[in-house]
């Protein structure tokens, strides 16, 4: 009988250090921080972090076999160690897409595996490993930030409400955005902590006190170590990047039309080899058509809500409140080839054991691509 896996370290590849680090100026304002690790002559893979605004951490290298992959990590505009920190100027979805191409060209990479989301041109993507299917429709945003998850985590919702006067609570995202863009450092920091704490409190099947404590710390932004060398002002700005950039994208609907990511032309772009494994809840197996009419088994791990969705499967999955289950259902309708199979014991975080295991397995599948 095999021993159950009980730690992330038992699932992830061993820790490694980058063999290259650098900064890439992508506009007159923005400079991206990036790193490359693993096999210098290996198969290129680029890791795209969440948020937007979350930044990367050293653990993100460990989803990939370092003997096989040339692993590229970078902080998107305003996130992590990219500068200027927490900037929302010249920071849109389409700026991020262009940045990824600039980084690929800078590193002289022809094609790569994209891990995280479809943020590159299809003719430069060998395969997709997507996590956290979230289409930024107003209904999805409202479920988490206005009226939905509030009914499941009421005690943490009260903490999220606290910084906002009752007169502004009819649009919580707007109220938080106004504070996260305030000239007052204390107002910004208070709002950033409350926003981040709400997300950390609801991101796992079981509430993780350590995550909540980290969100309440000025140094939090990257799931990274404290930054003792930085000034208090810089650390607070660093902390606020996650909340500030998220709010900026969300009040602007991701700079996309409502439902754009579920339109036919968007779905058609998914027809490259892809193994979509994300934030939590629904595992979708599909036969994806490739060039020359070849096909292969891929899977899409899609966010699920904290409720039971009945499907013809031996498993019953649930518990992502950050990304509503409606997204998975609507993706299924737009992409009928998907077969949904629920995965048990998973919330939203990529660091939960069932999800982490699936992500590593997804990357392993493409080692021979």
């Amino acid at each position: 009988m095999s021993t159950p896996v009980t730690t992330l370290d038992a699932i992830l590849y061993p820790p490694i250090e980058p063999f290259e680090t650098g900064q890439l100026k992508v506009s007159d304002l923005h400079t991206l921080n990036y790193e490359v690790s693993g096999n210098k002559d290996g198969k290129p893979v680029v890791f795209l972090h969440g948020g937007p605004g979350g930044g990367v951490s050293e653990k993100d290298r460990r989803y990939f076999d370092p003997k096989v992959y040339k692993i590229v990590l970078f902080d998107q505009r305003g996130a992590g160690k990219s500068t200027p920190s927490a900037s929302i100027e010249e920071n849109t979805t389409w700026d991020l897409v262009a940045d990824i191409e600039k980084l690929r060209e800078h590193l002289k990479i022809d094609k790569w595996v994209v891990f995280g989301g479809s943020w590159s041109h299809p003719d430069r993507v060998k395969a997709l490993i997507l996590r956290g299917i979230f289409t930024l429709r107003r209904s999805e945003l409202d479920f988490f930030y206005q009226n939905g998850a509030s009914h499941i985590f009421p005690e943490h919702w009260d903490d999220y409400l606290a910084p906002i006067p009752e007169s502004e609570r009819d649009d919580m995202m707007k109220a938080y955005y106004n504070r996260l863009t305030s000239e007052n450092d204390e107002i910004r920091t208070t709002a950033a902590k409350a926003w981040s704490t709400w997300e950390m409190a609801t991101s796992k099947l079981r509430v993780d006190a350590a995550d909540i404590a980290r969100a309440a710390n000025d140094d939090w932004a990257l799931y990274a170590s404290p930054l003792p060398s930085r000034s208090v002002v810089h650390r607070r700005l660093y902390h606020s990047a996650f909340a500030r950039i998220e709010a900026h994208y969300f009040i602007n609907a991701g700079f996309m039309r409502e439902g754009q990511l579920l339109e036919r032309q968007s779905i058609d772009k998914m027809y490259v080899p892809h193994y979509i494994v994300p934030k939590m809840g629904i595992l979708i197996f599909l036969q994806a058509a490739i060039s020359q009419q070849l096909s292969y088994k891929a899977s899409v791990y899609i966010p699920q809500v904290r409720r039971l969705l009945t499907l013809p499967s031996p498993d019953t999955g649930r518990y992502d409140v950050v990304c509503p289950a409606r997204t998975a259902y609507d993706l299924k309708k737009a992409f009928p080839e998907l077969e949904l199979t629920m995965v048990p014991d998973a919330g939203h975080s990529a660091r939960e054991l069932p999800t982490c295991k699936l992500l590593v397995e997804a990357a392993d599948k493409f080692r021979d691509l």
Side-chain angles (χ1 to χ4, degrees):
M1 180 180 296
S2 61
T3 303
V5 175
T6 58
T7 67
L8 288 176
D9 282 338
I11 296 172
L12 296 168
Y13 282 95
I16 56 174
E17 294 299 320
F19 59 77
E20 178 183 346
T21 60
Q23 288 76 42
L24 175 64
K25 192 169 183 62
V26 292
S27 76
D28 290 340
L29 177 63
H30 287 278
T31 298
L32 304 185
N33 182 78
Y34 72 88
E35 64 168 60
V36 188
S37 60
N39 184 343
K40 291 183 180 181
D41 300 314
K43 301 176 186 296
V45 58
V46 60
F47 178 94
L48 304 180
H49 67 70
V56 296
S57 83
E58 59 188 23
K59 279 191 175 179
D60 296 329
R61 306 167 193 150
R62 299 175 59 192
Y63 292 110
F64 313 101
D65 185 342
K67 295 180 181 179
V68 173
Y69 283 109
K70 181 178 184 178
I71 305 159
V72 180
L73 272 59
F74 74 99
D75 296 313
Q76 295 164 18
R77 293 191 180 200
K81 297 177 182 177
S82 291
T83 59
S85 180
S87 174
I88 55 177
E89 296 179 66
E90 300 177 18
N91 197 337
T92 73
T93 298
W94 314 115
D95 291 320
L96 303 188
V97 172
D99 289 349
I100 294 169
E101 279 300 286
K102 290 174 183 175
L103 179 60
R104 183 189 62 76
E105 292 171 357
H106 174 73
L107 295 174
K108 296 180 172 56
I109 292 172
D110 181 35
K111 295 185 178 183
W112 53 12
V113 174
V114 175
F115 183 108
S118 183
W119 294 100
S120 197
H121 296 309
D123 62 342
R124 296 300 180 182
V125 177
K126 294 175 65 177
L128 301 176
I129 302 171
L130 307 181
R131 71 168 192 84
I133 305 302
F134 188 63
T135 65
L136 284 130
R137 292 175 299 178
R138 185 71 195 192
S139 61
E140 298 171 48
L141 293 165
D142 282 346
F143 180 86
F144 188 61
Y145 290 109
Q146 193 65 42
N147 185 18
S150 56
H151 296 274
I152 302 166
F153 294 96
E155 72 277 32
H156 298 295
W157 180 255
D158 278 350
D159 294 335
Y160 173 68
L161 287 177
I164 309 300
E166 287 192 23
S167 61
E168 298 181 50
R169 290 179 182 176
D170 60 326
D171 191 338
M172 292 293 289
M173 285 186 293
K174 181 179 179 181
Y176 263 97
Y177 176 79
N178 290 339
R179 284 157 179 78
L180 290 165
T181 55
S182 169
E183 296 296 322
N184 185 295
D185 177 64
E186 195 62 36
I187 290 174
R188 262 198 332 269
T189 301
T190 298
K193 288 181 179 181
W195 177 285
S196 302
T197 299
W198 168 241
E199 185 151 341
M200 291 301 99
T202 56
S203 285
K204 290 183 178 178
L205 178 61
R206 295 177 177 83
V207 176
D208 190 325
D211 284 347
I212 294 175
R214 182 164 55 249
N217 188 298
D218 280 354
D219 288 342
W220 186 86
L222 293 175
Y223 303 97
S225 301
L227 305 167
S229 63
R230 295 174 183 258
S231 68
V232 171
V233 171
H234 194 166
R235 286 190 286 119
R236 286 180 175 177
L237 187 61
Y238 196 65
H239 166 84
S240 71
F242 174 74
R244 179 181 167 98
I245 295 173
E246 275 201 333
H248 166 66
Y249 272 77
F250 295 166
I251 68 160
N252 287 290
F255 304 92
M256 294 178 286
R257 297 183 300 277
E258 175 75 4
Q260 181 174 339
L261 293 179
L262 292 174
E263 293 173 357
R264 184 71 258 167
Q265 64 266 28
S266 298
I267 295 298
D268 288 344
K269 291 178 182 178
M270 296 174 66
Y271 281 93
V272 299
H274 54 295
Y275 194 109
I276 309 178
V277 183
K279 292 185 180 173
M280 282 28 343
I282 304 175
L283 183 60
I284 300 181
F285 292 98
L286 63 136
Q287 288 299 121
I290 317 176
S291 60
Q292 310 302 320
Q293 298 184 340
L294 298 176
S295 66
Y296 70 101
K297 194 76 169 182
S299 57
V300 184
Y301 190 45
I302 301 230
Q304 165 63 328
V305 157
R306 193 184 177 102
R307 68 177 180 81
L308 178 64
L309 177 60
T310 303
L311 291 170
S313 167
D315 293 322
T316 56
R318 47 189 171 176
Y319 301 148
D320 184 346
V321 303
V322 180
C323 299
R326 183 79 201 188
T327 304
Y329 180 73
D330 289 345
L331 179 62
K332 166 66 177 175
K333 290 195 296 184
F335 199 163
E337 294 86 346
L338 305 184
E339 176 187 348
L340 279 64
T341 302
M342 307 298 285
V343 177
D345 300 333
H348 173 84
S349 172
R351 299 285 167 79
E352 289 180 289
L353 294 178
T355 306
C356 183
K357 184 173 183 292
L358 286 168
L359 287 167
V360 172
E361 289 175 353
D364 285 349
K365 267 188 173 291
F366 290 124
R367 285 182 294 192
D368 297 325
L369 185 65

